[in-house]
Amino acid sequence: QVQLVESGGGLVQAGGSLRLSCAASGIIFSFNAMGWYRQAPGKQRELVAGITSGGSTNYADSVKGRFTVSRGNAKNTVYLQMSSLKSEDTAVYYCYAQRALEYWGQGTQVTVSS
């Protein structure tokens, strides 16, 4: 059974930084793509950043230049380095992974205080 486990969320002041981590277990092969979505209260879940197995990345316009997605040396890990955080970045952040099927983590809360 594939499981994605996120860590690194928390409370941070506006302008600060956080690093989210996601590690997958229960899979032998590498995912084709991994990344992060987020969902703020009362809003739809939105893509934050994604990265393919080849290293191609894409970002939401709202986080370009502030967030960086990367994959770890360990197979099937993904990180999200978040800098210059704003109150509007407050949300539950979900790790996702895709290889034929999609897999999701349980989510980690990020709260940015102004």
Tab-separated table of all heavy atoms in Angstrom, residues 35-98:
chain	number	residue	atom	x	y	z
A	35	GLY	N	4.564	16.458	-6.204
A	35	GLY	CA	4.430	17.895	-5.978
A	35	GLY	C	3.497	18.198	-4.835
A	35	GLY	O	3.248	17.346	-3.980
A	36	TRP	N	2.983	19.424	-4.877
A	36	TRP	CA	2.193	19.935	-3.766
A	36	TRP	C	0.960	20.680	-4.254
A	36	TRP	O	1.047	21.473	-5.201
A	36	TRP	CB	3.056	20.888	-2.931
A	36	TRP	CG	4.244	20.222	-2.342
A	36	TRP	CD1	5.482	20.082	-2.921
A	36	TRP	CD2	4.321	19.585	-1.068
A	36	TRP	NE1	6.320	19.388	-2.076
A	36	TRP	CE2	5.629	19.083	-0.937
A	36	TRP	CE3	3.427	19.411	-0.018
A	36	TRP	CZ2	6.057	18.406	0.204
A	36	TRP	CZ3	3.841	18.736	1.108
A	36	TRP	CH2	5.140	18.239	1.220
A	37	TYR	N	-0.142	20.430	-3.594
A	37	TYR	CA	-1.359	21.205	-3.719
A	37	TYR	C	-1.622	21.855	-2.362
A	37	TYR	O	-1.029	21.484	-1.351
A	37	TYR	CB	-2.547	20.307	-4.082
A	37	TYR	CG	-2.688	19.997	-5.545
A	37	TYR	CD1	-1.795	19.138	-6.182
A	37	TYR	CD2	-3.711	20.547	-6.307
A	37	TYR	CE1	-1.925	18.843	-7.529
A	37	TYR	CE2	-3.856	20.258	-7.652
A	37	TYR	CZ	-2.962	19.400	-8.252
A	37	TYR	OH	-3.096	19.116	-9.591
A	38	ARG	N	-2.505	22.824	-2.366
A	38	ARG	CA	-2.936	23.410	-1.097
A	38	ARG	C	-4.413	23.757	-1.160
A	38	ARG	O	-4.971	23.957	-2.245
A	38	ARG	CB	-2.112	24.655	-0.745
A	38	ARG	CG	-2.346	25.849	-1.659
A	38	ARG	CD	-1.389	26.981	-1.294
A	38	ARG	NE	-1.572	28.149	-2.155
A	38	ARG	CZ	-0.777	29.216	-2.144
A	38	ARG	NH1	0.253	29.256	-1.309
A	38	ARG	NH2	-1.020	30.226	-2.950
A	39	GLN	N	-5.019	23.802	0.002
A	39	GLN	CA	-6.429	24.177	0.097
A	39	GLN	C	-6.623	25.084	1.296
A	39	GLN	O	-6.367	24.682	2.436
A	39	GLN	CB	-7.317	22.942	0.211
A	39	GLN	CG	-8.795	23.253	0.136
A	39	GLN	CD	-9.644	22.019	-0.082
A	39	GLN	OE1	-9.224	20.899	0.188
A	39	GLN	NE2	-10.844	22.208	-0.594
A	40	ALA	N	-7.056	26.296	1.001
A	40	ALA	CA	-7.368	27.259	2.050
A	40	ALA	C	-8.845	27.132	2.410
A	40	ALA	O	-9.644	26.647	1.602
A	40	ALA	CB	-7.050	28.670	1.567
A	41	PRO	N	-9.229	27.572	3.600
A	41	PRO	CA	-10.631	27.473	4.017
A	41	PRO	C	-11.563	28.156	3.021
A	41	PRO	O	-11.320	29.298	2.616
A	41	PRO	CB	-10.642	28.190	5.361
A	41	PRO	CG	-9.260	28.049	5.875
A	41	PRO	CD	-8.367	28.109	4.673
A	42	GLY	N	-12.579	27.435	2.598
A	42	GLY	CA	-13.559	28.002	1.691
A	42	GLY	C	-13.123	28.090	0.249
A	42	GLY	O	-13.852	28.641	-0.585
A	43	LYS	N	-11.955	27.549	-0.065
A	43	LYS	CA	-11.440	27.617	-1.434
A	43	LYS	C	-11.189	26.208	-1.977
A	43	LYS	O	-11.082	25.250	-1.236
A	43	LYS	CB	-10.151	28.438	-1.484
A	43	LYS	CG	-10.341	29.896	-1.128
A	43	LYS	CD	-9.076	30.688	-1.390
A	43	LYS	CE	-9.269	32.164	-1.095
A	43	LYS	NZ	-8.042	32.960	-1.380
A	44	GLN	N	-11.081	26.137	-3.305
A	44	GLN	CA	-10.782	24.858	-3.932
A	44	GLN	C	-9.307	24.519	-3.779
A	44	GLN	O	-8.456	25.403	-3.612
A	44	GLN	CB	-11.150	24.915	-5.417
A	44	GLN	CG	-12.640	24.979	-5.688
A	44	GLN	CD	-12.959	24.868	-7.165
A	44	GLN	OE1	-12.165	25.257	-8.026
A	44	GLN	NE2	-14.127	24.323	-7.481
A	45	ARG	N	-9.028	23.236	-3.845
A	45	ARG	CA	-7.637	22.797	-3.812
A	45	ARG	C	-6.954	23.271	-5.095
A	45	ARG	O	-7.516	23.166	-6.191
A	45	ARG	CB	-7.566	21.279	-3.705
A	45	ARG	CG	-6.184	20.739	-3.437
A	45	ARG	CD	-6.202	19.228	-3.196
A	45	ARG	NE	-6.927	18.875	-1.986
A	45	ARG	CZ	-6.890	17.667	-1.448
A	45	ARG	NH1	-6.177	16.705	-2.022
A	45	ARG	NH2	-7.581	17.412	-0.355
A	46	GLU	N	-5.734	23.796	-4.950
A	46	GLU	CA	-5.013	24.317	-6.113
A	46	GLU	C	-3.590	23.783	-6.143
A	46	GLU	O	-2.982	23.511	-5.101
A	46	GLU	CB	-4.962	25.855	-6.073
A	46	GLU	CG	-4.224	26.435	-4.889
A	46	GLU	CD	-4.074	27.946	-4.965
A	46	GLU	OE1	-4.464	28.561	-5.967
A	46	GLU	OE2	-3.527	28.509	-3.995
A	47	LEU	N	-3.081	23.648	-7.363
A	47	LEU	CA	-1.704	23.218	-7.530
A	47	LEU	C	-0.758	24.321	-7.082
A	47	LEU	O	-0.919	25.477	-7.458
A	47	LEU	CB	-1.424	22.865	-8.994
A	47	LEU	CG	0.024	22.514	-9.335
A	47	LEU	CD1	0.429	21.198	-8.682
A	47	LEU	CD2	0.216	22.457	-10.842
A	48	VAL	N	0.219	23.968	-6.283
A	48	VAL	CA	1.250	24.902	-5.852
A	48	VAL	C	2.500	24.721	-6.716
A	48	VAL	O	3.007	25.674	-7.305
A	48	VAL	CB	1.611	24.695	-4.378
A	48	VAL	CG1	2.750	25.628	-3.968
A	48	VAL	CG2	0.389	24.913	-3.499
A	49	ALA	N	2.989	23.497	-6.774
A	49	ALA	CA	4.208	23.222	-7.537
A	49	ALA	C	4.307	21.737	-7.812
A	49	ALA	O	3.871	20.920	-6.993
A	49	ALA	CB	5.448	23.685	-6.773
A	50	GLY	N	4.879	21.406	-8.964
A	50	GLY	CA	5.077	20.013	-9.316
A	50	GLY	C	6.429	19.810	-9.961
A	50	GLY	O	7.025	20.757	-10.491
A	51	ILE	N	6.911	18.584	-9.907
A	51	ILE	CA	8.197	18.249	-10.508
A	51	ILE	C	8.123	16.844	-11.077
A	51	ILE	O	7.589	15.925	-10.445
A	51	ILE	CB	9.352	18.385	-9.483
A	51	ILE	CG1	10.705	18.108	-10.144
A	51	ILE	CG2	9.119	17.506	-8.265
A	51	ILE	CD1	11.888	18.526	-9.270
A	52	THR	N	8.633	16.682	-12.291
A	52	THR	CA	8.610	15.371	-12.934
A	52	THR	C	9.869	14.584	-12.585
A	52	THR	O	10.828	15.132	-12.009
A	52	THR	CB	8.527	15.516	-14.451
A	52	THR	OG1	9.755	16.094	-14.930
A	52	THR	CG2	7.355	16.411	-14.852
A	53	SER	N	9.878	13.328	-12.972
A	53	SER	CA	11.056	12.500	-12.729
A	53	SER	C	12.258	13.018	-13.502
A	53	SER	O	13.404	12.780	-13.111
A	53	SER	CB	10.766	11.051	-13.118
A	53	SER	OG	10.356	10.971	-14.467
A	54	GLY	N	12.005	13.769	-14.577
A	54	GLY	CA	13.094	14.358	-15.347
A	54	GLY	C	13.563	15.697	-14.830
A	54	GLY	O	14.517	16.273	-15.360
A	55	GLY	N	12.890	16.191	-13.805
A	55	GLY	CA	13.318	17.439	-13.195
A	55	GLY	C	12.588	18.681	-13.676
A	55	GLY	O	12.884	19.788	-13.220
A	56	SER	N	11.632	18.525	-14.584
A	56	SER	CA	10.859	19.685	-15.023
A	56	SER	C	9.924	20.126	-13.907
A	56	SER	O	9.319	19.284	-13.232
A	56	SER	CB	10.046	19.331	-16.270
A	56	SER	OG	10.897	19.001	-17.343
A	57	THR	N	9.811	21.435	-13.742
A	57	THR	CA	8.989	21.975	-12.663
A	57	THR	C	7.927	22.915	-13.208
A	57	THR	O	8.076	23.489	-14.298
A	57	THR	CB	9.838	22.733	-11.638
A	57	THR	OG1	10.535	23.807	-12.303
A	57	THR	CG2	10.850	21.815	-10.979
A	58	ASN	N	6.873	23.069	-12.460
A	58	ASN	CA	5.863	24.082	-12.756
A	58	ASN	C	5.335	24.621	-11.440
A	58	ASN	O	5.306	23.906	-10.423
A	58	ASN	CB	4.741	23.521	-13.633
A	58	ASN	CG	3.950	22.428	-12.965
A	58	ASN	OD1	4.484	21.386	-12.649
A	58	ASN	ND2	2.661	22.662	-12.742
A	59	TYR	N	4.945	25.881	-11.471
A	59	TYR	CA	4.513	26.581	-10.269
A	59	TYR	C	3.243	27.380	-10.528
A	59	TYR	O	3.022	27.883	-11.627
A	59	TYR	CB	5.594	27.561	-9.805
A	59	TYR	CG	6.887	26.925	-9.364
A	59	TYR	CD1	7.926	26.733	-10.269
A	59	TYR	CD2	7.066	26.528	-8.043
A	59	TYR	CE1	9.115	26.150	-9.868
A	59	TYR	CE2	8.255	25.950	-7.636
A	59	TYR	CZ	9.266	25.760	-8.548
A	59	TYR	OH	10.451	25.186	-8.142
A	60	ALA	N	2.468	27.546	-9.483
A	60	ALA	CA	1.368	28.495	-9.542
A	60	ALA	C	1.964	29.895	-9.644
A	60	ALA	O	3.021	30.174	-9.052
A	60	ALA	CB	0.505	28.380	-8.291
A	61	ASP	N	1.301	30.766	-10.383
A	61	ASP	CA	1.823	32.128	-10.549
A	61	ASP	C	2.009	32.816	-9.199
A	61	ASP	O	2.949	33.597	-9.025
A	61	ASP	CB	0.865	32.951	-11.416
A	61	ASP	CG	0.908	32.544	-12.878
A	61	ASP	OD1	1.879	31.879	-13.291
A	61	ASP	OD2	-0.038	32.896	-13.612
A	62	SER	N	1.152	32.506	-8.254
A	62	SER	CA	1.188	33.197	-6.964
A	62	SER	C	2.413	32.845	-6.126
A	62	SER	O	2.716	33.551	-5.166
A	62	SER	CB	-0.081	32.874	-6.169
A	62	SER	OG	-0.186	31.474	-5.946
A	63	VAL	N	3.116	31.770	-6.479
A	63	VAL	CA	4.272	31.365	-5.664
A	63	VAL	C	5.582	31.433	-6.427
A	63	VAL	O	6.647	31.190	-5.843
A	63	VAL	CB	4.085	29.948	-5.084
A	63	VAL	CG1	2.769	29.842	-4.335
A	63	VAL	CG2	4.189	28.882	-6.164
A	64	LYS	N	5.533	31.758	-7.697
A	64	LYS	CA	6.760	31.828	-8.497
A	64	LYS	C	7.737	32.825	-7.889
A	64	LYS	O	7.364	33.929	-7.514
A	64	LYS	CB	6.439	32.223	-9.937
A	64	LYS	CG	5.853	31.102	-10.768
A	64	LYS	CD	5.560	31.557	-12.186
A	64	LYS	CE	4.963	30.424	-13.011
A	64	LYS	NZ	4.584	30.863	-14.379
A	65	GLY	N	8.986	32.402	-7.795
A	65	GLY	CA	10.020	33.249	-7.234
A	65	GLY	C	10.116	33.183	-5.712
A	65	GLY	O	11.071	33.693	-5.122
A	66	ARG	N	9.134	32.540	-5.087
A	66	ARG	CA	9.151	32.428	-3.612
A	66	ARG	C	9.263	30.970	-3.150
A	66	ARG	O	9.852	30.689	-2.111
A	66	ARG	CB	7.875	33.029	-3.019
A	66	ARG	CG	7.667	34.494	-3.331
A	66	ARG	CD	6.503	35.087	-2.543
A	66	ARG	NE	5.223	34.450	-2.874
A	66	ARG	CZ	4.457	33.822	-1.987
A	66	ARG	NH1	4.819	33.735	-0.725
A	66	ARG	NH2	3.292	33.292	-2.359
A	67	PHE	N	8.696	30.062	-3.908
A	67	PHE	CA	8.696	28.637	-3.546
A	67	PHE	C	9.574	27.861	-4.516
A	67	PHE	O	9.642	28.192	-5.707
A	67	PHE	CB	7.287	28.060	-3.608
A	67	PHE	CG	6.334	28.547	-2.549
A	67	PHE	CD1	6.642	29.627	-1.726
A	67	PHE	CD2	5.107	27.926	-2.391
A	67	PHE	CE1	5.755	30.076	-0.766
A	67	PHE	CE2	4.211	28.362	-1.425
A	67	PHE	CZ	4.535	29.443	-0.620
A	68	THR	N	10.201	26.816	-3.996
A	68	THR	CA	11.012	25.933	-4.833
A	68	THR	C	10.671	24.487	-4.522
A	68	THR	O	10.743	24.065	-3.354
A	68	THR	CB	12.507	26.166	-4.605
A	68	THR	OG1	12.833	27.528	-4.881
A	68	THR	CG2	13.332	25.267	-5.515
A	69	VAL	N	10.325	23.731	-5.547
A	69	VAL	CA	10.041	22.300	-5.385
A	69	VAL	C	11.258	21.516	-5.841
A	69	VAL	O	11.928	21.878	-6.821
A	69	VAL	CB	8.781	21.903	-6.183
A	69	VAL	CG1	8.950	22.102	-7.677
A	69	VAL	CG2	8.367	20.474	-5.847
A	70	SER	N	11.559	20.453	-5.129
A	70	SER	CA	12.705	19.619	-5.495
A	70	SER	C	12.440	18.183	-5.065
A	70	SER	O	11.598	17.918	-4.207
A	70	SER	CB	13.990	20.145	-4.848
A	70	SER	OG	13.884	20.119	-3.437
A	71	ARG	N	13.164	17.285	-5.694
A	71	ARG	CA	13.071	15.870	-5.318
A	71	ARG	C	14.364	15.463	-4.641
A	71	ARG	O	15.449	15.919	-5.012
A	71	ARG	CB	12.776	15.013	-6.552
A	71	ARG	CG	11.393	15.276	-7.093
A	71	ARG	CD	11.041	14.419	-8.273
A	71	ARG	NE	10.745	13.036	-7.898
A	71	ARG	CZ	10.012	12.205	-8.633
A	71	ARG	NH1	9.493	12.623	-9.770
A	71	ARG	NH2	9.821	10.959	-8.255
A	72	GLY	N	14.249	14.634	-3.647
A	72	GLY	CA	15.398	14.248	-2.867
A	72	GLY	C	16.204	13.143	-3.518
A	72	GLY	O	15.774	12.512	-4.484
A	73	ASN	N	17.385	12.916	-2.964
A	73	ASN	CA	18.226	11.822	-3.434
A	73	ASN	C	17.570	10.473	-3.160
A	73	ASN	O	17.722	9.523	-3.930
A	73	ASN	CB	19.596	11.877	-2.782
A	73	ASN	CG	20.390	13.087	-3.235
A	73	ASN	OD1	20.244	13.540	-4.368
A	73	ASN	ND2	21.216	13.619	-2.360
A	74	ALA	N	16.873	10.408	-2.052
A	74	ALA	CA	16.104	9.202	-1.757
A	74	ALA	C	14.942	9.131	-2.723
A	74	ALA	O	14.269	10.120	-2.979
A	74	ALA	CB	15.604	9.227	-0.323
A	75	LYS	N	14.726	7.962	-3.255
A	75	LYS	CA	13.676	7.797	-4.239
A	75	LYS	C	12.340	8.162	-3.632
A	75	LYS	O	12.034	7.826	-2.504
A	75	LYS	CB	13.680	6.349	-4.724
A	75	LYS	CG	12.800	6.086	-5.909
A	75	LYS	CD	13.138	4.772	-6.582
A	75	LYS	CE	13.248	3.619	-5.632
A	75	LYS	NZ	13.526	2.352	-6.338
A	76	ASN	N	11.560	8.864	-4.400
A	76	ASN	CA	10.185	9.163	-4.013
A	76	ASN	C	10.066	10.058	-2.794
A	76	ASN	O	9.257	9.810	-1.885
A	76	ASN	CB	9.391	7.867	-3.836
A	76	ASN	CG	9.239	7.142	-5.160
A	76	ASN	OD1	9.186	7.774	-6.222
A	76	ASN	ND2	9.186	5.835	-5.112
A	77	THR	N	10.916	11.067	-2.756
A	77	THR	CA	10.756	12.143	-1.779
A	77	THR	C	10.658	13.458	-2.529
A	77	THR	O	11.268	13.628	-3.599
A	77	THR	CB	11.937	12.205	-0.796
A	77	THR	OG1	13.153	12.394	-1.537
A	77	THR	CG2	12.036	10.941	0.028
A	78	VAL	N	9.910	14.375	-1.971
A	78	VAL	CA	9.757	15.688	-2.592
A	78	VAL	C	9.714	16.737	-1.491
A	78	VAL	O	9.218	16.481	-0.384
A	78	VAL	CB	8.491	15.736	-3.476
A	78	VAL	CG1	7.224	15.585	-2.646
A	78	VAL	CG2	8.452	17.007	-4.303
A	79	TYR	N	10.254	17.900	-1.799
A	79	TYR	CA	10.335	18.989	-0.847
A	79	TYR	C	9.701	20.243	-1.440
A	79	TYR	O	9.642	20.413	-2.653
A	79	TYR	CB	11.786	19.278	-0.486
A	79	TYR	CG	12.534	18.076	0.031
A	79	TYR	CD1	13.371	17.356	-0.804
A	79	TYR	CD2	12.379	17.656	1.347
A	79	TYR	CE1	14.044	16.239	-0.348
A	79	TYR	CE2	13.057	16.545	1.824
A	79	TYR	CZ	13.890	15.846	0.968
A	79	TYR	OH	14.557	14.741	1.430
A	80	LEU	N	9.278	21.118	-0.558
A	80	LEU	CA	8.799	22.428	-0.974
A	80	LEU	C	9.433	23.459	-0.043
A	80	LEU	O	9.093	23.521	1.140
A	80	LEU	CB	7.277	22.520	-0.914
A	80	LEU	CG	6.695	23.826	-1.444
A	80	LEU	CD1	6.922	23.941	-2.958
A	80	LEU	CD2	5.200	23.929	-1.127
A	81	GLN	N	10.375	24.212	-0.570
A	81	GLN	CA	10.979	25.305	0.178
A	81	GLN	C	10.156	26.555	-0.058
A	81	GLN	O	10.029	27.002	-1.197
A	81	GLN	CB	12.428	25.527	-0.269
A	81	GLN	CG	13.120	26.668	0.440
A	81	GLN	CD	13.321	26.394	1.917
A	81	GLN	OE1	13.773	25.317	2.301
A	81	GLN	NE2	12.982	27.357	2.753
A	82	MET	N	9.614	27.111	1.012
A	82	MET	CA	8.736	28.270	0.915
A	82	MET	C	9.401	29.448	1.599
A	82	MET	O	9.784	29.350	2.771
A	82	MET	CB	7.384	27.973	1.566
A	82	MET	CG	6.706	26.732	1.011
A	82	MET	SD	5.056	26.466	1.701
A	82	MET	CE	5.485	26.049	3.394
A	83	SER	N	9.549	30.532	0.876
A	83	SER	CA	10.178	31.735	1.410
A	83	SER	C	9.261	32.922	1.185
A	83	SER	O	8.324	32.856	0.381
A	83	SER	CB	11.527	31.974	0.729
A	83	SER	OG	12.392	30.865	0.889
A	84	SER	N	9.560	33.998	1.877
A	84	SER	CA	8.761	35.233	1.757
A	84	SER	C	7.276	34.925	1.882
A	84	SER	O	6.449	35.374	1.079
A	84	SER	CB	9.041	35.926	0.418
A	84	SER	OG	10.418	36.233	0.288
A	85	LEU	N	6.961	34.155	2.896
A	85	LEU	CA	5.574	33.692	3.063
A	85	LEU	C	4.644	34.860	3.352
A	85	LEU	O	5.007	35.844	4.015
A	85	LEU	CB	5.511	32.663	4.178
A	85	LEU	CG	6.008	31.266	3.760
A	85	LEU	CD1	6.353	30.420	4.977
A	85	LEU	CD2	4.954	30.573	2.908
A	86	LYS	N	3.429	34.723	2.812
A	86	LYS	CA	2.397	35.726	2.976
A	86	LYS	C	1.198	35.094	3.682
A	86	LYS	O	1.029	33.866	3.660
A	86	LYS	CB	1.956	36.255	1.609
A	86	LYS	CG	3.080	36.785	0.746
A	86	LYS	CD	2.560	37.164	-0.634
A	86	LYS	CE	3.682	37.665	-1.527
A	86	LYS	NZ	3.189	38.038	-2.880
A	87	SER	N	0.343	35.933	4.233
A	87	SER	CA	-0.831	35.406	4.932
A	87	SER	C	-1.709	34.585	3.989
A	87	SER	O	-2.333	33.607	4.410
A	87	SER	CB	-1.629	36.546	5.550
A	87	SER	OG	-2.000	37.486	4.561
A	88	GLU	N	-1.718	34.953	2.727
A	88	GLU	CA	-2.536	34.215	1.760
A	88	GLU	C	-1.975	32.845	1.417
A	88	GLU	O	-2.615	32.074	0.695
A	88	GLU	CB	-2.753	35.025	0.479
A	88	GLU	CG	-1.497	35.577	-0.140
A	88	GLU	CD	-1.271	37.043	0.254
A	88	GLU	OE1	-1.432	37.364	1.452
A	88	GLU	OE2	-0.905	37.834	-0.645
A	89	ASP	N	-0.793	32.527	1.920
A	89	ASP	CA	-0.246	31.177	1.747
A	89	ASP	C	-0.790	30.212	2.805
A	89	ASP	O	-0.519	29.008	2.740
A	89	ASP	CB	1.282	31.191	1.834
A	89	ASP	CG	1.928	31.967	0.705
A	89	ASP	OD1	1.475	31.820	-0.449
A	89	ASP	OD2	2.874	32.725	0.972
A	90	THR	N	-1.525	30.735	3.765
A	90	THR	CA	-2.103	29.889	4.800
A	90	THR	C	-3.061	28.879	4.177
A	90	THR	O	-3.989	29.253	3.457
A	90	THR	CB	-2.855	30.740	5.834
A	90	THR	OG1	-1.911	31.565	6.520
A	90	THR	CG2	-3.580	29.865	6.834
A	91	ALA	N	-2.817	27.604	4.453
A	91	ALA	CA	-3.621	26.538	3.860
A	91	ALA	C	-3.141	25.194	4.396
A	91	ALA	O	-2.101	25.112	5.063
A	91	ALA	CB	-3.499	26.545	2.339
A	92	VAL	N	-3.894	24.173	4.084
A	92	VAL	CA	-3.411	22.809	4.287
A	92	VAL	C	-2.697	22.404	3.000
A	92	VAL	O	-3.266	22.523	1.913
A	92	VAL	CB	-4.551	21.829	4.590
A	92	VAL	CG1	-4.008	20.408	4.720
A	92	VAL	CG2	-5.275	22.242	5.870
A	93	TYR	N	-1.479	21.957	3.117
A	93	TYR	CA	-0.660	21.580	1.966
A	93	TYR	C	-0.639	20.059	1.849
A	93	TYR	O	-0.356	19.352	2.823
A	93	TYR	CB	0.756	22.127	2.122
A	93	TYR	CG	0.835	23.610	1.844
A	93	TYR	CD1	0.267	24.533	2.718
A	93	TYR	CD2	1.462	24.096	0.693
A	93	TYR	CE1	0.312	25.895	2.451
A	93	TYR	CE2	1.530	25.454	0.420
A	93	TYR	CZ	0.949	26.345	1.307
A	93	TYR	OH	0.996	27.698	1.044
A	94	TYR	N	-0.925	19.592	0.641
A	94	TYR	CA	-1.000	18.163	0.375
A	94	TYR	C	0.080	17.749	-0.617
A	94	TYR	O	0.234	18.365	-1.681
A	94	TYR	CB	-2.357	17.793	-0.214
A	94	TYR	CG	-3.525	18.042	0.698
A	94	TYR	CD1	-4.195	19.253	0.682
A	94	TYR	CD2	-3.966	17.046	1.573
A	94	TYR	CE1	-5.273	19.483	1.518
A	94	TYR	CE2	-5.051	17.271	2.407
A	94	TYR	CZ	-5.694	18.488	2.376
A	94	TYR	OH	-6.771	18.706	3.202
A	95	CYS	N	0.774	16.715	-0.277
A	95	CYS	CA	1.720	16.106	-1.197
A	95	CYS	C	0.968	15.174	-2.140
A	95	CYS	O	0.011	14.503	-1.724
A	95	CYS	CB	2.742	15.314	-0.389
A	95	CYS	SG	3.895	14.317	-1.362
A	96	TYR	N	1.365	15.165	-3.403
A	96	TYR	CA	0.770	14.203	-4.326
A	96	TYR	C	1.872	13.514	-5.120
A	96	TYR	O	2.985	14.031	-5.246
A	96	TYR	CB	-0.226	14.880	-5.272
A	96	TYR	CG	0.423	15.599	-6.445
A	96	TYR	CD1	0.672	14.943	-7.655
A	96	TYR	CD2	0.805	16.931	-6.335
A	96	TYR	CE1	1.275	15.601	-8.714
A	96	TYR	CE2	1.416	17.591	-7.384
A	96	TYR	CZ	1.642	16.928	-8.574
A	96	TYR	OH	2.250	17.581	-9.615
A	97	ALA	N	1.521	12.353	-5.645
A	97	ALA	CA	2.443	11.603	-6.485
A	97	ALA	C	1.636	10.867	-7.539
A	97	ALA	O	0.495	10.467	-7.302
A	97	ALA	CB	3.256	10.617	-5.653
A	98	GLN	N	2.239	10.706	-8.710
A	98	GLN	CA	1.503	10.103	-9.801
A	98	GLN	C	2.361	9.102	-10.553
A	98	GLN	O	3.516	9.383	-10.906
A	98	GLN	CB	1.022	11.213	-10.749
A	98	GLN	CG	0.203	10.716	-11.938
A	98	GLN	CD	1.062	10.455	-13.160
A	98	GLN	OE1	2.073	11.104	-13.366
A	98	GLN	NE2	0.673	9.486	-13.957
